[in-house]
C-alpha cells in the first residue's frame, strides 16, 4: 500500500517567545525541524511533504538537501487545517498518510514504522504515550469497552480529563480516503477556535470507522517542543542518545552529564572525552584521541591520536595524526595542523598551515601563514598579516627557526633552514640557510646607575 508523509511545520510557535520561528531553533546540532524530517526520511515513503507557512523561506532553504516537498498552509488555523493543506498537495494519492508534528525531534524511524504497521485496516491510528508530565497534551478518551472515542485538547480539558493518563504523542497514521472526508467536517468549536486534527478521531469514531491508539512505552521520545524549557529537555535527550552511540562504539565519556556532542559528530574508538568537552556540527574525531576539559571543536576534522589540552577552541580546521594542541590554543577557520605538530598555550592560528613536526609552543599569532615541516616558532612570534586594507601571506620553509618575539611583516618569506634572531622585525625575505637579525643593537652604558642625576620631582 502507498505511504505518504506529512510533517506539520506551519504553526506560530508562540510559546517560544522568539523572533525566530520555533522549528528553526537549534537542537543538538541541527534545527528542530530537521530531526523529525530525518526520522521520516528513514521510511520508504512515496512522498514526504513538509507543511509550511507562506513566508517560511528560511525553513524551506534549510531543508533543501532533504528529499522532501513543501505544501503551504496560508494561515495557521490549526493542525487539521495544516493537514488539509498537505492533502491538497497530494490530491491524487490514496493509501496511508503518516502525519507527524514537526516539533518532536526525538521521534525514531522505528516508531514511525511500527505505527504504520499497526495501522493496517485502521482508518485513524494515533501514537499513545503516558508521560509523567501531561500538560499541553491532548487526552485520549476511551469508552467503557476501552475503544478510543475522542481526543480532548489540554486547553479544553475538564479536571476529569486531566486525570486521564493516556495522551496523544503527535504522530498519526490515517487511511487517506477516510481522513479527507472527516477533515472537511472538523470545526473550530474549541477554546482556541482552531481546527484540531485531533477532532478527526471523534468524527470517524461516531461514523463507525475504525480508530485506534498504539501504545508506546517511551513518552520522552515524542516529547513535543513548545517552550524553551522543552527545547532544553529535547536537546538533553538527543545528546544522551549521541553519547550512548559513541560509548557503544568504544569511546570513553568520563562524564556524560557535562559532555555536549551534536548528533552528526563521530568519534573513533579508544578516544576519551573529559568533562566539559563540546563537539559541534560535522566534527569528526579519530581513534585514540584524548580531549581534555572545556575543549570546544566545531565543524573540524581531528585525526587519530591527537591530544587536545584544556580550554582549546577549534573551528573549521584540520588536525592531523599525533598532533598536540593547547592548553588554551585557538584554531580559527582554515587552520591545518600537520602530523605530530604542537600548538601550545595561547597560540592563535587562522588560515594557516603548520607542517608536520612543527612547533608553536607559546603566545603566538599565526595568520595567513604557510609553514613547512619541523619549523620552530619561538614564543611571542606574530605574523603581521594585515596592513589595514588587505591580508598578506607569510611563508616559512622547512626546518626554519624563528626566535622568540619575532614580528614577521607580511608578505615575507623565511627560507629553508634559515634562522631569525629573537626580537627581530622581519620585513624582507630571509634566504635559505641564513640568519636574519632585525632589531636595534643593545647599548650598555658603564656605571650609569651610580652617576645618574636625581630627577627634580623624586621627593628625595
Ligand atoms: C498537538 C496536539 C496534541 C498532542 C501534541 C503532542 C493538536 C490540536 N493537538 O498539540 O493533541 O498531544 O501536539 O505534541 O494537534 N502546526 C501547523 N499549522 C497550524 C498549527 C500547528 O502546521 O495551524 C504545526 C506546528 O508547527 C507543530 C505541530 O503542528 O509542529 C503541532 O502544533 P502545536 O501547536 O505544537 O500543537 P500542540 O499544542 O503541541
Ligand atoms: Ca507541540
Amino acid at each position: 500500500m502507498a505511504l505518504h508523509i506529512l510533517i506539520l511545520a506551519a504553526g506560530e510557535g508562540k510559546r517560544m517567545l522568539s523572533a525566530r520561528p520555533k522549528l528553526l531553533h537549534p537542537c543538538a546540532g541541527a534545527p528542530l525541524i530537521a530531526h523529525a524530517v530525518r526520522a521520516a526520511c528513514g521510511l520508504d515513503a512515496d512522498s514526504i511533504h513538509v507543511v509550511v507557512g507562506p513566508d517560511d523561506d528560511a525553513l524551506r532553504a534549510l531543508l533543501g538537501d532533504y528529499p522532501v516537498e513543501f505544501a503551504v498552509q496560508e494561515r495557521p488555523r490549526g493542525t487539521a487545517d495544516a493537514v488539509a493543506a498537505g492533502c491538497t498537495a497530494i490530491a491524487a494519492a490514496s493509501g496511508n498518510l503518516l502525519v507527524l508534528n514537526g516539533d518532536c525531534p526525538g521521534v525514531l524511524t522505528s516508531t514511525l514504522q511500527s505505527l504504520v504497521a499497526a495501522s493496517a485496516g485502521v482508518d485513524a491510528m494515533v501514537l499513545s504515550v503516558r508521560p509523567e508530565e501531561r500538560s499541553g497534551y491532548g487526552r485520549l478518551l476511551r469508552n467503557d469497552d476501552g475503544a478510543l472515542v475522542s481526543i480532548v485538547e489540554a486547553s479544553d480539558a475538564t479536571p476529569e480529563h486531566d486525570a486521564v493518563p493516556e495522551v496523544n504523542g503527535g504522530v498519526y497514521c490515517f487511511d487517506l480516503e477516510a481522513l479527507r472526508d472527516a477533515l472537511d467536517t472538523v470545526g473550530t468549536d474549541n477554546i482556541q477556535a482552531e481546527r484540531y486534527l485531533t477532532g478527526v478521531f471523534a468524527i470517524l469514531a461516531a461514523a463507525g470507522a475504525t480508530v485506534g491508539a498504539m501504545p508506546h512505552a517511551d513518552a520522552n521520545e515524542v516529547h513535543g517542543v513548545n517552550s524553551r524549557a522543552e527545547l532544553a529537555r529535547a536537546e538533553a535527550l538527543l545528546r544522551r542518545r549521541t553519547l550512548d552511540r559513541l560509548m557503544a562504539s568504544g569511546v570513553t565519556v568520563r562524564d556524560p552529564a557535562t559532555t555536549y556532542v551534536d548528533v552528526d559528530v563521530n568519534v573513533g574508538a579508544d578516544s576519551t572525552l573529559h568533562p566539559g568537552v563540546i563537539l559541534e556540527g560535522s566534527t569528526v574525531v579519530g581513534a585514540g584521541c584524548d580531549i581534555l576539559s572545556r575543549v570546544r571543536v566545531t565543524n573540524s576534522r581531528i585525526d587519530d591520536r591527537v591530544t587536545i589540552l584544556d580550554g582549546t577552541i577549534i573551528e573549521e580546521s584540520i588536525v592531523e595524526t599525533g598532533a598536540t594542541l593547547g592548553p588554551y590554543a585557538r584554531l580559527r577557520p582554515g587552520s591545518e595542523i600537520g602530523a605530530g605538530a604542537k600548538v601550545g598555550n595561547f597560540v592563535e592560528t587562522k588560515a594557516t598551515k603548520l607542517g608536520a613536526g612543527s612547533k608553536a609552543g607559546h603566545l603566538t599569532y599565526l595568520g595567513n601563514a604557510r609553514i613547512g615541516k619541523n619549523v620552530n616558532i619561538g614564543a611571542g612570534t606574530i605574523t603581521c598579516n594585515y596592513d589595514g586594507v588587505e591580508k598578506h601571506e607569510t611563508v616559512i620553509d622547512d626546518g626554519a627557526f624563528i626566535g622568540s618575539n619575532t614580528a614577521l611583516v607580511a608578505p615575507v618569506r623565511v627560507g629553508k633552514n634559515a634562522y631569525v634572531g629573537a626580537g627581530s622585525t622581519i620585513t624582507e625575505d630571509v634566504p635559505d640557510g641564513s640568519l636574519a637579525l632585525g632589531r636595534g643593537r643593545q647599548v650598555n652604558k658603564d656605571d650609569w646607575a651610580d652617576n645618574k642625576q636625581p630627577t627634580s620631582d623624586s621627593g628625595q
Side-chain angles (χ1 to χ4, degrees):
M1 186 180 282
L3 173 66
H4 299 271
I5 301 180
L6 291 184
I7 301 170
L8 307 186
E12 290 179 297
K14 285 185 201 144
R15 289 165 274 183
M16 292 295 280
L17 306 176
S18 177
R20 186 201 296 245
K22 174 172 87 174
L23 295 174
L24 295 186
H25 278 258
C27 186
L32 205 46
I33 184 66
H35 298 286
V37 168
R38 286 170 183 216
C41 289
L43 293 179
D44 187 17
D46 295 278
S47 76
I48 304 178
H49 281 81
V50 181
V51 182
V52 297
D55 302 320
D56 286 341
D57 296 342
L59 206 145
R60 281 170 184 258
L62 209 142
L63 294 176
D65 290 340
Y66 293 92
V68 297
E69 294 163 85
F70 298 93
V72 176
Q73 183 190 18
E74 289 303 331
R75 282 197 290 121
R77 281 175 292 229
T79 44
D81 190 70
V83 170
C87 284
T88 310
I90 49 166
S94 62
N96 278 330
L97 182 72
L98 179 72
V99 177
L100 61 149
N101 287 347
D103 66 0
C104 58
V107 70
L108 294 169
T109 300
S110 55
T111 303
L112 301 178
Q113 251 152 1
S114 308
L115 186 71
V116 173
S119 302
V122 179
D123 292 308
M125 183 73 107
V126 58
L127 193 81
S128 147
V129 287
R130 293 168 178 261
E132 270 171 37
E133 170 57 51
R134 297 189 296 276
S135 62
Y137 286 97
R139 307 295 200 273
L140 303 190
L141 304 189
R142 294 176 181 272
N143 64 17
D144 292 342
D145 299 331
L148 180 67
V149 288
S150 69
I151 303 178
V152 175
E153 284 310 305
S155 48
D156 301 312
T158 63
E160 196 186 328
H161 297 141
D162 267 340
V164 173
E166 203 183 359
V167 307
N168 167 15
V171 189
Y172 321 79
C173 190
F174 299 100
D175 172 73
L176 258 168
E177 207 179 322
L179 174 67
R180 280 202 178 96
D181 294 341
L183 271 179
D184 290 342
T185 41
V186 173
T188 53
D189 185 18
N190 54 63
I191 210 142
Q192 303 197 81
E194 282 187 5
R195 294 180 65 216
Y196 293 153
L197 177 59
T198 43
V200 157
F201 284 81
I203 293 167
L204 286 173
T210 34
V211 301
M214 186 188 93
H216 187 64
D218 186 3
N220 281 331
E221 183 190 327
V222 288
H223 169 72
V225 173
N226 302 305
S227 63
R228 308 271 181 162
E230 287 167 335
L231 178 65
R233 215 182 120 176
E235 178 149 0
L237 168 79
L238 296 179
R239 196 159 62 222
R240 184 63 214 212
R241 260 189 210 163
T242 304
L243 294 175
D244 286 345
R245 164 172 67 80
L246 295 183
M247 290 188 280
S249 65
V251 177
T252 293
V253 179
R254 285 187 53 208
D255 181 19
T258 61
T259 307
Y260 289 61
V261 180
D262 283 351
V263 288
D264 287 331
V265 169
N266 265 313
V267 181
D270 277 331
S271 285
T272 299
L273 308 181
H274 293 261
V277 165
I278 303 176
L279 304 178
E280 296 180 322
S282 58
T283 293
V284 177
V285 176
C289 293
D290 210 17
I291 306 192
L292 280 100
S293 292
R294 286 165 288 108
V295 166
R296 180 159 64 87
V297 187
T298 308
N299 298 332
S300 294
R301 191 190 94 202
I302 311 293
D303 292 345
D304 297 344
R305 297 187 304 286
V306 168
T307 301
I308 310 178
L309 298 171
D310 311 60
T312 294
I313 299 171
I314 302 173
E315 293 165 273
E316 289 159 41
S317 292
I318 295 172
V319 181
E320 292 178 353
T321 308
T324 303
L325 310 176
Y328 305 105
R330 181 170 182 213
L331 270 51
R332 292 169 60 203
S335 300
E336 288 182 43
I337 308 304
K342 282 198 167 56
V343 176
N345 318 248
F346 306 106
V347 172
E348 174 183 348
T349 62
K350 162 104 194 285
T352 281
K353 194 174 160 132
L354 185 69
S358 291
K359 293 178 185 152
H362 328 265
L363 301 161
T364 286
Y365 172 65
L366 301 172
N368 301 89
R370 268 193 296 132
I371 301 167
K373 292 181 200 149
N374 300 319
V375 168
N376 191 83
I377 307 277
T381 296
I382 306 285
T383 55
C384 310
N385 60 331
Y386 186 52
D387 61 11
V389 181
E390 280 179 73
K391 298 274 173 70
H392 300 282
E393 190 177 59
T394 300
V395 177
I396 305 175
D397 218 327
D398 296 349
F401 182 98
I402 310 296
S404 295
N405 202 29
T406 292
L408 296 155
V409 182
V412 74
R413 177 177 181 277
V414 178
K416 202 167 177 178
N417 298 325
Y419 284 72
V420 172
S424 291
T425 297
I426 299 297
T427 54
E428 289 166 28
D429 288 357
V430 182
D432 291 355
S434 58
L435 166 67
L437 296 167
R439 62 191 185 208
R441 285 186 88 91
Q442 180 169 331
V443 177
N444 290 342
K445 299 196 174 180
D446 291 343
D447 303 325
W448 185 85
D450 288 341
N451 299 321
K452 74 173 177 173
Q453 298 300 316
T455 53
S456 57
D457 62 352
S458 67
Q460 288 182 2

